[in-house]
Amino acid sequence: LMANKEKDVIEVKGVILESLPNAMFLVELDTSHHRITAHPSGKMRKNNIRILPGDKILLEIPPYDITRGRIIYRFK
């Protein structure tokens, strides 16, 4: 768990469990094994980065709603 100083978000690693409608994904967090829904960031959509179940990702979670997140990086 890392807190980003510029933006007030929590960065955490996770694994995609399944793909949901409307470019949403069910993600299991590495640290706590919580399951949250997440969507890819605009840069990931713009660069057409594919996200599949089983991929390891980095996501941002806002502190005011910890049930949702934004996927910001897909690990190789």
Side-chain angles (χ1 to χ4, degrees), residues 20-66:
L20 303 172
N22 299 336
M24 296 289 281
F25 297 91
L26 187 64
V27 179
E28 185 172 48
L29 305 182
D30 282 355
T31 51
S32 59
H33 300 291
H34 278 81
R35 292 181 176 193
I36 66 170
T37 56
H39 65 276
S41 69
K43 270 189 182 171
M44 292 188 77
R45 279 194 179 179
K46 194 182 102 186
N47 293 318
N48 213 6
I49 293 172
R50 292 274 165 243
I51 304 170
L52 299 170
D55 284 350
K56 292 185 186 339
I57 53 149
L58 182 67
L59 62 140
E60 293 180 337
I61 303 170
Y64 50 84
D65 185 5
I66 57 170

Side-chain angles (χ1 to χ4, degrees), residues 2-27:
M2 297 175 355
N4 201 332
K5 294 292 180 220
E6 305 86 58
K7 308 177 289 262
D8 200 19
V9 293
I10 303 157
E11 286 188 358
V12 65
K13 292 180 182 175
V15 178
I16 303 287
L17 293 179
E18 67 176 291
S19 180
L20 303 172
N22 299 336
M24 296 289 281
F25 297 91
L26 187 64
V27 179

